[in-house]
Structure formats: structure tokens, C-alpha cells
């Protein structure tokens, strides 16, 4: 493929120990030759130099020259011939001292020698176009760079190794097998009964569906490390949700008032609970709303509750559970049984001389914490409780977690396969089944970029930084 030669600093702007200039493309070595003189002897300014004879993938000490051929810096340089390089093309790197002036002069020399300044993610894009990486690996480059926790790094690393791409390829191979069966059945209608084994077809569909579901589960679990766990505060108006939200954050954020219905929309802040980022959300109260805006706030609370990793039902311990709160618990039975609903029995300071809410009146299966948002009592126990409640939703060691884009495509594939399984069970003819099968295969292909369009690539690489 006839491409131009890219150059960019691979290290961030600013000062540092070293900075790395990266060059990739057909002219990478001629450009390097113009900018680099190996050896410890200071090169004479206008001397004719013999052609560079650097062994591949070896680091050489020498001097970098600017565009006028003046010595600029002492550097290390390496040349990595394609196709076994990061981008699949000839790649050269110069490691100079980490000063902005040096980096700029070096880059200028590169451009003067015929290279072009690389756009965001362009090196990785070339690696993808040259078949060095599939799209899941290319995206993993961005993910591993932005990962801030050890767990986030581990999840991105597995993808960088190509494990997700391989998993998708295996699923696709299974679906290709089904496609072959369909083609045979269509071509030989009189032998359809023999070639089209419906139970076997259904078994493969069930297996691929289960595998995709496992990937989607891993996506949800990984969200915990990427975006933090989501804990939503719910409860009757005036139970003290906003006060508890502020107390857990350790500063004032939500408006506290004894006027019912102050938190109409919702407020979100992130706290670190024993190392896990937790996004706390304060919502409108659970009660029948009187006006439209608040009604929206309340239905929004219900939606947030569905997506939450942990629901914190804040109850005024002097008042006990209201009808709405009991209804809410009944409607979230699954969350209760999986230990995701916690009760915060608030305003414990008001019950100093009498016992708070009788334990036996509390719903079973919800860990309860006696707290006072006002005086800070019981807050660390509650924080630990939240941490524990979300623990079961953390990624497993062997998880292969797709990102948001990939998960969306996997959802599409799963929907198609589920509908396909139903159609097959209803006895629909093989040629009709082929349509859904193709749609599922297309979605899987888009995960790894097999059918990657320019527009898709633009969208993905736009979020990269220059030099990556
Ligand atoms: P929300 O409507 O559930 O968000 O409730 P707010 O946080 O706005 O609090 C409602 C009222 O209860 C305010 O007057 C708070 O000062 C008061 N309140 C909240 N938490 C406590 C607490 O732990 N103890 C006492 N005594 N009052 C509290």
C-alpha cells in the first residue's frame, strides 16, 4: 500500500528525562538517516556521511541533527523494519533528552526531510490497516493508557493480547458453521431433513448465545472499575438522603432542606470507598409527585435504581418504613436477594434515649446500618457495607470485558441470535433463518473491525492522542 511517512512525538509534551520521536512509513529510514549520526564522535557539520547501517531492533548511541544539519542532542536511535514492527511499516525512533525545544527541533527536521505530522491515533490505525492488530486490540491501546487502576490495566491487557478478538473469531466460526448448514439446506431442498439438523442448530445457537451473554456480563462488571460502582440513595422525602450524601462525601454538595422535594433531578459525586471509586447519586424522594418536574425526577430515581450496583434506602428511624418504601423493596426483590439493597436507618441521634426502629420490622435480607448524617455516627460502617455490597459485581480474574462500543454490537448479535433461535424452533425455512444469522455475523465482524469502515475508524481513533 502506498502511504506517506508519519512522524510525531510519542511522549507527552512538557519536560522529562527523555522524549521519543516516532517515524513510520516507507521513508522512515531515509528520514532517520538525515537526522541521526551514530557513534560517540561529534559529527562534522557538513561532512559527507556514509549510509546508515544500523542493525534492526538495536539501540544505537549517536547525535541528532536539526534541519540545517547542526548537532542538536545526544540521542539513542533504533530502526525496526516492517512488516514485523508495531505499525507493520518501517519504523524508526529517536530517544532524545526530554525538552520541548529539542523535541520541536527534531520534529521539524523530520517534517523537512519529508515526513508528515501524524494525526491522533494514526500509528495505531496503520497497525490495524496493516493487520498487526484487530480493532479490539487497537481500542485496548487507548484503554490501557487511560486505565488508572491495576484491575483496569489487567482488563485492557487481556484485550491487547488479542484474547477478545480470538473469542469473537471463535464465535464467528461457530456461526459460519451454521451458515454452511443453511446454504446446504437451501441448495439441496430434497435432502433438507438430513442436512439441516434442527436440534444441533439450536444447540450451537444456545452455546454462542451463552458465550455472548458472559461477555456482556463481564462488560457490566468491568464498568465498576472503569466508571466506579454506582450507589443510589433512595427513600422518603426528608428521610435525610441529601444529608447522608453530603456526609458520605465529607462536604456539602446536595441542598439540604426540610421542604419536601428539594432534590428534583439527581446529583452525582464520586467517593473512594476503600480504594473503589463509587459514584453516589442522590435522587428525588420516593413519593407520589405533585407536579410534572418532580414526577420526572421520581421516575428517574426508579430508572437509576435499576442500573445501580447498590441501592441505599434511607429511612428515618423514628418513622419506620412507609408504604412506598415497602413497595419499592417488593419491586426490587432480585436486588434485595443479591444483597444489593442496604438500609440506612438515619437520624439515630434523635433516638438516643429510645431504641431505633425495631429490627424485626425490617425486611429480611437487607443489611441495616444505624446512622446519623447529622452527627456522623455509623458512617464508616455504612461505607464498608456499600463496598461489600458491590464486591460481588467486581470483575473476575479471567474476565474478558468488551468496551461500550463492543458491548453494543454484542447486544445486537445476541438479539439476532435469540430471535433466530425462536424462528428456528417455530420451524421457519432455512433461507429465512439466514437473514438473522447474517445480521449477527455482521455485528460480530464490526467488533473486531473485519468490516471496519473509514467512518468507524475515524470515530474510534479520534479519541486517541497524537503519537499513539
Ligand atoms: P432528603 O429530602 O431525604 O434529601 O432530606 P434532607 O437531607 O434534605 O434532610 C431533611 C431534614 O432532615 C433536614 O432538616 C435535615 O437537617 C434533617 N436531617 C437529616 N439527617 C439528619 C440526622 O441524621 N439527624 C437529624 N436530627 N436530622 C437530620
Amino acid at each position: 500500500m502506498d502511504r506517506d511517512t508519519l512522524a510525531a512525538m510519542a511522549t507527552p509534551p512538557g519536560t522529562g528525562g527523555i522524549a521519543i520521536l516516532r517515524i513510520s512509513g516507507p521513508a522512515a529510514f531515509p528520514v532517520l538517516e538525515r537526522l541521526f549520526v551514530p557513534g560517540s564522535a561529534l559529527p562534522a557539520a557538513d561532512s559527507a556521511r556514509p549510509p546508515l547501517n544500523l542493525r534492526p531492533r538495536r539501540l544505537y548511541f549517536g547525535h541528532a541533527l536539526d534541519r540545517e544539519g547542526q548537532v542538536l542532542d545526544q540521542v539513542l536511535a533504533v530502526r525496526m523494519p516492517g512488516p514485523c514492527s508495531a505499525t507493520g511499516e518501517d519504523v524508526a525512533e529517536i530517544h532524545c533528552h526530554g525538552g520541548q525545544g529539542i523535541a520541536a527541533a527534531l520534529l521539524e527536521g523530520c517534517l523537512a526531510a519529508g515526513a508528515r505530522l501524524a494525526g491522533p491515533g494514526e500509528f495505531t490505525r496503520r497497525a490495524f490497516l496493516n493487520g498487526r492488530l484487530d480493532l479490539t486490540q487497537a481500542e485496548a491501546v487507548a484503554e490501557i493508557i487511560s486505565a488508572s487502576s491495576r484491575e483496569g490495566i489487567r482488563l485492557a491487557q487481556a484485550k491487547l493480547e488479542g484474547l477478545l478478538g480470538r473469542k469473537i473469531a471463535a464465535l464467528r466460526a461457530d456461526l459460519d458453521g451454521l451458515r454452511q448448514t443453511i446454504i446446504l439446506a437451501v441448495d439441496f431442498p430434497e435432502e433438507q431433513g438430513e442436512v439441516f439438523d434442527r436440534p444441533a442448530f439450536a444447540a450451537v445457537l444456545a452455546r454462542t448465545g451463552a458465550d455472548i451473554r458472559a461477555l456482556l456480563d463481564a462488560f457490566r462488571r468491568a464498568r465498576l472499575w472503569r466508571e466506579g460502582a454506582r450507589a443510589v440513595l433512595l427513600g422518603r422525602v426528608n428521610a435525610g438522603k441529601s444529608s447522608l450524601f453530603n456526609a458520605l462525601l465529607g462536604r456539602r454538595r446536595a441542598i439540604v432542606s426540610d421542604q419536601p422535594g428539594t432534590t428534583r433531578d439527581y446529583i452525582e459525586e464520586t467517593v473512594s470507598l476503600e480504594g473503589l471509586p463509587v459514584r453516589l447519586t442522590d435522587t428525588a424522594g420516593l413519593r407520589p409527585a405533585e407536579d410534572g418536574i418532580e414526577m420526572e425526577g421520581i421516575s428517574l430515581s426508579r430508572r437509576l435504581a435499576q442500573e445501580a450496583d447498590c441501592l441505599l434506602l434511607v429511612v428515618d428511624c423514628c418513622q419506620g418504613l412507609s408504604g412506598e418504601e415497602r413497595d419499592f423493596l417488593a419491586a426490587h426483590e432480585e436486588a434485595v436477594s443479591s444483597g444489593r439493597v442496604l438500609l440506612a436507618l438515619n437520624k439515630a441521634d434523635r433516638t438516643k434515649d429510645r431504641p431505633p426502629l425495631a429490627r424485626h420490622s425490617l425486611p429480611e435480607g437487607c443489611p441495616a446500618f444505624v446512622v446519623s448524617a447529622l452527627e456522623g455516627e455509623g458512617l464508616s460502617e455504612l461505607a464498608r457495607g456499600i463496598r461489600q455490597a458491590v464486591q460481588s459485581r467486581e470483575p473476575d480474574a479471567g474476565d474478558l470485558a468488551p468496551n461500550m462500543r463492543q458491548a453494543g454490537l454484542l447486544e445486537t448479535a445476541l438479539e439476532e441470535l435469540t430471535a433466530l433461535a425462536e424462528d428456528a424452533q417455530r420451524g421457519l425455512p432455512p433461507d429465512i433463518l439466514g437473514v438473522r444469522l447474517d445480521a449477527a455475523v455482521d455485528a460480530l465482524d464490526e467488533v473486531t473491525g473485519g468490516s471496519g469502515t473509514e467512518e468507524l475508524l475515524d470515530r474510534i481513533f479520534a479519541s486517541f492522542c497524537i503519537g499513539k
Side-chain angles (χ1 to χ4, degrees):
M1 238 173 289
D2 197 15
R3 296 208 181 97
D4 52 4
T5 297
L6 306 174
M9 295 310 296
T11 41
T15 53
I18 59 166
I20 300 176
L21 170 77
R22 214 174 182 197
I23 314 164
S24 174
F29 300 155
V31 171
L32 180 68
E33 202 152 287
R34 287 271 297 273
L35 297 178
F36 177 68
V37 186
S40 45
L42 205 59
D46 49 1
S47 64
R49 296 193 305 270
L52 263 192
N53 192 18
L54 308 182
R55 285 171 63 188
R57 294 175 290 280
R58 281 216 165 196
L59 213 49
Y60 284 84
F61 177 81
H63 290 88
L65 310 178
D66 66 10
R67 59 182 297 173
E68 267 84 43
Q70 301 292 322
V71 173
L72 192 64
D73 190 13
Q74 291 182 338
V75 299
L76 294 172
V78 59
R79 72 177 196 101
M80 296 167 271
C84 296
S85 67
T87 59
E89 307 172 323
D90 285 351
V91 173
E93 279 178 10
I94 298 180
H95 300 210
C96 60
H97 287 105
Q100 290 207 48
I102 304 164
L106 206 52
L107 197 54
E108 212 181 283
C110 252
L111 305 185
R116 165 173 74 75
L117 188 64
E122 230 182 328
F123 290 101
T124 314
R125 187 178 184 138
R126 288 225 171 151
F128 168 72
L129 292 173
N130 289 326
R132 298 293 291 165
L133 305 172
D134 71 21
L135 213 44
T136 62
Q137 290 172 299
E139 287 175 296
V141 172
E143 287 169 26
I144 204 162
I145 290 173
S146 62
S148 53
S149 66
R150 187 69 189 83
E151 288 74 10
I153 294 170
R154 185 173 53 71
L155 290 172
Q157 210 272 333
K159 289 194 277 184
L160 196 57
E161 295 299 325
L163 297 186
L164 182 60
R166 259 176 262 155
K167 179 77 203 169
I168 302 288
L171 289 171
R172 197 191 184 291
D174 283 347
L175 297 186
D176 271 344
L178 295 186
R179 191 155 35 184
Q180 292 307 323
T181 338
I182 288 180
I183 292 171
L184 276 179
V186 172
D187 287 352
F188 302 100
E190 60 286 356
E191 285 149 50
Q192 205 177 86
E194 255 169 65
V195 291
F196 194 64
D197 178 347
R198 285 187 184 264
F201 190 88
V204 175
L205 279 183
R207 198 179 61 226
T208 23
D211 283 357
I212 294 179
R213 237 172 255 119
L215 289 173
L216 288 169
D217 281 348
F219 162 70
R220 283 181 207 113
R221 284 193 295 268
R223 209 199 56 212
L224 214 66
W225 288 112
R226 236 186 358 254
E227 301 168 16
R230 229 179 276 178
V232 173
L233 279 84
L234 294 147
R236 216 189 305 183
V237 171
N238 265 345
K241 294 178 296 300
S242 301
S243 306
L244 194 57
F245 176 84
N246 288 333
L248 284 167
L249 286 178
R251 65 197 147 100
R252 215 157 196 284
R253 169 73 167 81
I255 309 152
V256 176
S257 95
D258 44 18
Q259 191 74 27
T262 16
T263 315
R264 299 197 161 202
D265 204 337
Y266 67 94
I267 300 177
E268 204 168 77
E269 286 280 347
T270 302
V271 270
S272 170
L273 298 182
E274 298 181 19
L276 177 71
V278 176
R279 279 156 62 192
L280 278 182
T281 308
D282 183 17
T283 61
L286 293 171
R287 63 166 190 139
E290 276 144 30
D291 66 52
I293 308 173
E294 208 186 350
M295 185 72 101
E296 230 167 69
I298 291 172
S299 76
L300 189 67
S301 321
R302 300 220 158 99
R303 212 174 56 237
L304 285 169
Q306 276 165 8
E307 293 169 4
D309 300 300
C310 170
L311 299 172
L312 197 58
L313 191 57
V314 186
V315 179
D316 183 333
C317 71
C318 306
Q319 293 190 17
L321 290 178
S322 69
E324 272 96 27
E325 285 158 348
R326 289 195 185 278
D327 288 349
F328 173 82
L329 288 171
H332 290 80
E333 208 178 321
E334 188 273 325
V336 171
S337 60
S338 61
R340 286 197 292 129
V341 181
L342 305 185
L343 286 180
L345 309 176
N346 190 31
K347 309 196 184 180
D349 53 287
R350 289 217 191 134
T351 58
K352 288 264 154 66
D353 41 355
R354 57 199 159 97
L357 217 62
R359 291 263 171 188
H360 66 263
S361 72
L362 298 176
E364 271 182 41
C366 295
F369 299 85
V370 178
V371 298
S372 162
L374 204 67
E375 296 188 353
E377 180 191 333
L379 290 182
S380 36
E381 287 80 0
L382 179 63
R384 217 167 300 136
I386 297 175
R387 181 74 178 79
Q388 248 166 21
V390 298
Q391 212 136 38
S392 62
R393 295 168 72 85
E394 284 179 23
D396 297 334
D399 265 356
L400 258 183
N403 63 22
M404 184 93 85
R405 182 192 73 86
Q406 298 155 354
L409 291 164
L410 289 170
E411 295 267 11
T412 308
L414 185 60
E415 276 165 26
E416 294 292 347
L417 294 179
T418 310
L420 173 59
E422 282 164 14
D423 289 351
Q425 203 182 8
R426 291 206 333 258
L428 258 58
D431 50 343
I432 295 191
L433 300 180
V435 178
R436 287 211 184 271
L437 191 60
D438 287 348
V441 168
D442 286 350
L444 289 186
D445 277 351
E446 207 175 314
V447 173
T448 45
S451 55
T453 60
E454 282 297 307
E455 189 208 26
L456 169 71
L457 300 183
D458 285 346
R459 202 159 6 105
I460 289 175
F461 290 109
S463 63
F464 277 57
C465 51
I466 289 175
K468 205 191 283 169

